[in-house]
Amino acid sequence: MAAASPSSPSSPSALLEDLNPAQRAAVTSEAQPLCVLAGAGSGKTRVLTRRISWRVHAQTAGAGHVMAVTFTRHAAGELRNRLRALGVRDQVAAGTFHGLAYAQLRRRWADRGERPPALLDRKARVLAQLLRERGGRGRGNTPRGRDVASPQPADLAGEIEWAKARMVAPSDYQAAAAAHGRRPPLPASEMAALYQAYEAHNQKRGLVDFDDLLLACATAIEQDPEFAAGLRWRYRHLFVDEFQDVNPAQFRLLQAWLGDRLDLCVVGDPNQAIYSWNGADPALLERLPHRYPTAGVVSLEDNYRSSPQILAVANAVLAQGGGRAHAGELRPTRSDGAVPSVRCFSNEKAEATGIARALRDAHRPGTPWSQLAVLARTNAQLVVLAEAMRARGVPFRVPAGADILEQPVVAAALPQLSATSPAVPFSSALADLEARVREDAALTDEQRFQLEELIRLGREYISLDPSASAQGFVPWVKANVRAEGPGTGSDAVELTTFHRAKGLEWRVVFLAGLERGLVPIGHASTPAAEAEERRLLYVAVTRAREELQCSWAERRTFGSRWVSRGPSPYLEAVELACSALSQGRRPDRAELRRMLSLERARLAAATGGAGPRRVGRGGAGVVSPARELAERADPEVMEALREWRATTAKASGVPAYVVFHDATLAALAQAQPRTADELLALPGLGPVKAARYGETLLALLARLRPSA
C-alpha cells in the first residue's frame, strides 16, 4: 500500500513524497486541460486532492477560486476533509452538479430580486397524477382489472431523467428512444405525450425539477454576460471527479462554467463507465483530448487495492471483449493472494447456502463481517441470498433502495394481492399473477425477476401455512424480507448489487448468479450494451482486495417453475485466468487474448465452425460452443467424464477446471477419440495434459463406447 497522506505539509514538495511517478506527474502537470485516467484502486481521490493542494501551496490557484465537482454529497464532504488535512485552510467549493447549479441560480434570483421557482423534489408524485388523469395504465392490461405491469411512476420518472440528461425534448423523444434502443415503460409515443404533459404541468405551476437546474444554469450563463463573468471570476480552477459518468446536460454546464478558459482537470476511468443507461456518455471522457488540443493525459495503472490474482481476473474480463482497450492494464502492488474460484451449484438455493457457509468460514480473527460482501447483478437475486444468511445467523445489511419490497413493481403488486377476496385461494391469486407476468412483454428483465421472486416467496408462504391467505401474505413477506439480518449493528456483511458496489471495497467478495441472462443482463442486445455489462463485471471483480469467489446456479426458480441456466459467457475468461494462476503463471492482457483466441479456434474446429446460437427467455443469453457440444454429446459419457474430473481434481487438490474446462469435456464426449493423435486435436488438450491423462481418458472412453 502507498504511504499515508502527509498532514499539513510545510511545502508543496511534501505532497509528492509518497506518490508513485505517474501520480506525481498527474499532481504536478502544467497541462490545461488535464485528463487523469485512473484505473480501479489507483488512488484517484488521493491524486485529485493532492493536485488541488499542490496548486494552492504553489500559488498557481487560490482555494477560494476552486470548484470541485463530485457525484455525491458524501464524496464532496470527503474531498473537503482531505483538503483540510493537507493544509488547505480556505473553503473550496465542492459539490454535485445539481447542488452547485442550484446554489448559483438562487444567488442570481436573489440578486435580481426574482422569486425563485418552487423545486419539485419528486417527479413520481406528479407523474402518478398525470397518469390517473390520462386514464391509462399502459400496455399489458388484463380483463382481471388492475395489472402489476402498469407503468410505475418511478419508472416513468427514470425515463424522463434519461431524456433530460441527454437534452432530449418531448418532441424528439420517440426518435431518440429508438436511436438509443430504449425500452420505455410506455410505448414511445405515449411516453413522449406524458413527458410533454409533465413539462406543461410544471411550467403552468412554476415548478422546476432537479434536472431542469442544470440547463437553467447553463442557459443563464450563456445568455447573461454579467452572470457569466461573475461566476468565471469566482470559479477559475475546475476539477471534476468520475468524469466517465458525466452526461451531456452536465457537460454543457461544465462548458458554460469554463467559457473560453482551459483550467480544467478531470479524473475518470473509462473501464468503470456503467451508467449510460441512465444518460451518462462515456465518450465525453474519451473525446476530451480531441476536443482540447492542448490537453494532457496521465494514466494511473498501479493498483493498491487488489492482489495480483484478482487483477489477473479483472484484466481477463476486459481482454475477452476484444477491440481496443480503453485504458492501460492494471499493475499489482500488493503481495500474492488466493487464486479466485468459480463454483457451480445445482440451484440458487444451494448457491445461497454455499455462500452463507463460506461467509462463516471467512469470518475469522482479524476479518470482521464488514470486510465481507456478496454482490449480485439484480436486486431480486438478493432475496434468496438474504434468506440463507439469515437462516445461518450471518449478519448482513442491504443499502437503502436495494430492498426488493421498495421496488415500484413489487410495491404495486403487494396491495393488489392483499385485495384478493378471502373466498379466492391464495394459490389461485399467485397463479393469476404468474400468468400475467409471463404474458406481459412490457416488463423489463429486472421487473420480471422481481415479480417472479415475489411469486416464489408466495409459494414458500403456502408451504409453511396450510391456511395461507392473500391478507396474511403481505405482513408475512414484510416480516421475512428485511433489509438487515440478525444483530447487524455496524459489523455486517454487505449484500448489494454490482452497480451499488462501485466505489467500495472489501477484503473478501462473493459474486453470485454469474449466469447467462443475468451477466450480461438479458436485454443487453447491442454491442454497446454488452460492453457496458462487461465493464460492470470488471467493477464488481475489482471491489475485492484479497479473495474473490464467483458462482452460478444450473437452475433457478421463476415463479412456480424451475428454469435451466447456463454460465455467463464472461466466465470463459475468468476460468482461463484462474487456470493459468493455479499453474503459477500471471497472464497479462495480451496473453489472455491469445489464450481466448486459441480456445475459441479449437472449439470452432470441434463444432465444425458452428457459431453460438440464441435461446429464449428461459435460458436467456448466448449459448457458447462448449454448451453446443455438451448438448450434442451422449449424456452418460458427459456424466462419466465429469465424475472422472471431480475425482482427479480432488486427488490432486486443485479445482476441477484446472484438470479440464467444461469445453474440453464437451469436446471429448462429442468426438470420443480413439488414439493419442485424435486426443491432441481436441481443444484444451496440449501435450502436457495428454501425457498426464491421455491413457486414462482413452481407456474410459473405450469402456463407455457401445460394442459393435
Side-chain angles (χ1 to χ4, degrees), residues 227-532:
F227 180 52
L231 282 179
R232 290 168 185 163
W233 178 88
R234 172 73 173 80
Y235 302 116
R236 306 176 192 180
H237 324 290
L238 274 61
F239 297 80
V240 184
D241 194 12
E242 302 285 9
F243 197 78
Q244 77 279 351
D245 296 332
V246 167
N247 63 46
Q250 291 165 337
F251 189 67
R252 177 177 164 186
L253 177 56
L254 178 63
Q255 288 182 298
W257 281 332
L258 269 176
D260 58 0
R261 301 169 304 165
L262 298 174
D263 197 341
L264 169 68
C265 172
V266 305
V267 181
D269 181 7
N271 290 327
Q272 295 188 74
I274 58 174
Y275 289 109
S276 63
W277 56 272
N278 204 26
D281 185 359
L284 290 171
L285 175 60
E286 185 177 353
R287 292 197 299 260
L288 194 74
H290 304 287
R291 185 183 296 270
Y292 297 103
T294 60
V297 179
V298 178
S299 294
L300 307 182
E301 298 168 4
D302 288 317
N303 177 281
Y304 294 95
R305 176 188 300 152
S306 304
S307 71
Q309 287 72 19
I310 290 169
L311 290 186
V313 169
N315 286 320
V317 169
L318 294 181
Q320 187 185 25
R324 183 173 63 83
H326 287 293
E329 183 169 350
L330 292 177
R331 294 186 296 264
T333 61
R334 294 176 61 100
S335 58
D336 281 337
V339 173
S341 65
V342 179
R343 297 182 66 189
C344 171
F345 292 88
S346 58
N347 57 64
E348 85 271 27
K349 286 195 173 183
E351 179 188 32
T353 299
I355 289 174
R357 288 172 178 163
L359 285 166
R360 293 194 68 86
D361 292 340
H363 180 236
R364 44 187 178 262
T367 303
W369 292 116
S370 59
Q371 284 301 306
L372 312 175
V374 183
L375 315 182
R377 174 61 179 83
T378 70
N379 287 312
Q381 293 170 266
L382 304 181
V383 178
V384 177
L385 293 161
E387 290 173 346
M389 292 163 67
R390 187 178 294 112
R392 282 151 189 82
V394 176
F396 67 91
R397 60 170 162 260
V398 178
D403 190 335
I404 191 173
L405 297 182
E406 298 179 15
Q407 306 309 309
V409 72
V410 173
L414 283 173
Q416 293 177 27
L417 280 174
S418 63
T420 304
S421 169
V424 176
F426 183 50
S427 57
S428 297
L430 275 183
D432 288 346
L433 175 60
E434 184 175 9
R436 284 145 59 192
V437 170
R438 187 166 53 247
E439 295 166 4
D440 193 342
L443 290 170
T444 65
D445 288 341
E446 175 76 354
Q447 289 171 330
R448 193 176 302 277
F449 292 146
Q450 291 165 357
L451 287 170
E452 287 171 335
E453 188 55 41
L454 182 66
I455 295 165
R456 185 194 67 78
L457 289 166
R459 303 285 179 193
E460 181 178 324
Y461 172 58
I462 291 172
S463 71
L464 296 173
D465 184 358
S467 61
S469 67
Q471 291 70 34
F473 173 62
V474 174
W476 178 86
V477 75
K478 288 183 177 179
N480 283 273
V481 182
R482 303 188 300 275
E484 293 192 353
T488 53
S490 60
D491 188 22
V493 174
E494 195 80 8
L495 182 58
T496 190
T497 62
F498 292 178
H499 279 101
R500 290 180 180 272
K502 186 173 182 292
L504 304 175
E505 61 180 77
W506 298 272
R507 195 183 79 77
V508 183
V509 170
F510 295 80
L511 303 184
L514 300 183
E515 300 151 22
R516 289 194 310 270
L518 290 172
V519 182
I521 200 72
H523 59 72
S525 56
T526 66
E530 195 275 340
E532 181 155 314

Side-chain angles (χ1 to χ4, degrees), residues 155-227:
D155 297 326
L156 297 168
E159 193 64 16
I160 289 176
E161 286 166 2
W162 170 83
K164 291 195 173 190
R166 289 276 174 169
M167 298 190 295
V168 174
S171 58
D172 300 324
Y173 173 80
Q174 279 186 262
H180 288 86
R182 300 293 293 179
R183 301 176 66 194
L186 285 172
S189 59
E190 295 180 29
M191 188 69 229
L194 183 67
Y195 181 12
Q196 180 63 60
Y198 170 79
E199 294 289 83
H201 172 278
N202 290 352
Q203 184 175 8
K204 181 178 179 181
R205 288 161 178 78
L207 299 172
V208 296
D209 62 29
F210 281 107
D211 302 304
D212 295 328
L213 297 174
L214 302 181
L215 294 186
C217 190
T219 301
I221 296 171
E222 292 162 355
Q223 297 180 357
D224 184 343
E226 184 178 350
F227 180 52

Side-chain angles (χ1 to χ4, degrees), residues 468-636:
S469 67
Q471 291 70 34
F473 173 62
V474 174
W476 178 86
V477 75
K478 288 183 177 179
N480 283 273
V481 182
R482 303 188 300 275
E484 293 192 353
T488 53
S490 60
D491 188 22
V493 174
E494 195 80 8
L495 182 58
T496 190
T497 62
F498 292 178
H499 279 101
R500 290 180 180 272
K502 186 173 182 292
L504 304 175
E505 61 180 77
W506 298 272
R507 195 183 79 77
V508 183
V509 170
F510 295 80
L511 303 184
L514 300 183
E515 300 151 22
R516 289 194 310 270
L518 290 172
V519 182
I521 200 72
H523 59 72
S525 56
T526 66
E530 195 275 340
E532 181 155 314
E533 288 290 303
R534 189 182 302 282
R535 295 194 297 270
L536 182 58
L537 178 58
Y538 169 83
V539 167
V541 168
T542 53
R543 300 310 93 195
R545 292 201 300 268
E546 297 177 24
E547 295 182 34
L548 176 70
Q549 298 191 33
C550 308
S551 61
W552 64 281
E554 292 182 324
R555 293 191 303 164
R556 193 169 288 274
T557 51
F558 285 91
S560 62
R561 65 196 187 283
W562 284 99
V563 176
S564 296
R565 311 289 294 178
S568 164
Y570 301 161
L571 283 178
E572 177 189 17
V574 173
E575 290 188 333
L576 278 176
C578 291
S579 178
L581 290 166
S582 296
Q583 297 168 17
R585 295 187 294 114
R586 291 186 196 166
D588 59 18
R589 198 178 290 174
E591 182 182 353
L592 284 161
R593 283 203 177 101
R594 289 193 295 271
M595 292 165 62
L596 287 162
S597 178
L598 179 60
E599 190 74 6
R600 288 169 179 167
R602 287 173 170 172
L603 284 172
T607 57
R613 61 180 174 83
R614 294 203 172 268
V615 296
R617 181 177 291 277
V622 177
V623 176
S624 67
R627 182 82 170 181
E628 290 274 6
L629 281 173
E631 291 175 352
R632 296 178 190 175
D634 185 325
E636 292 185 8

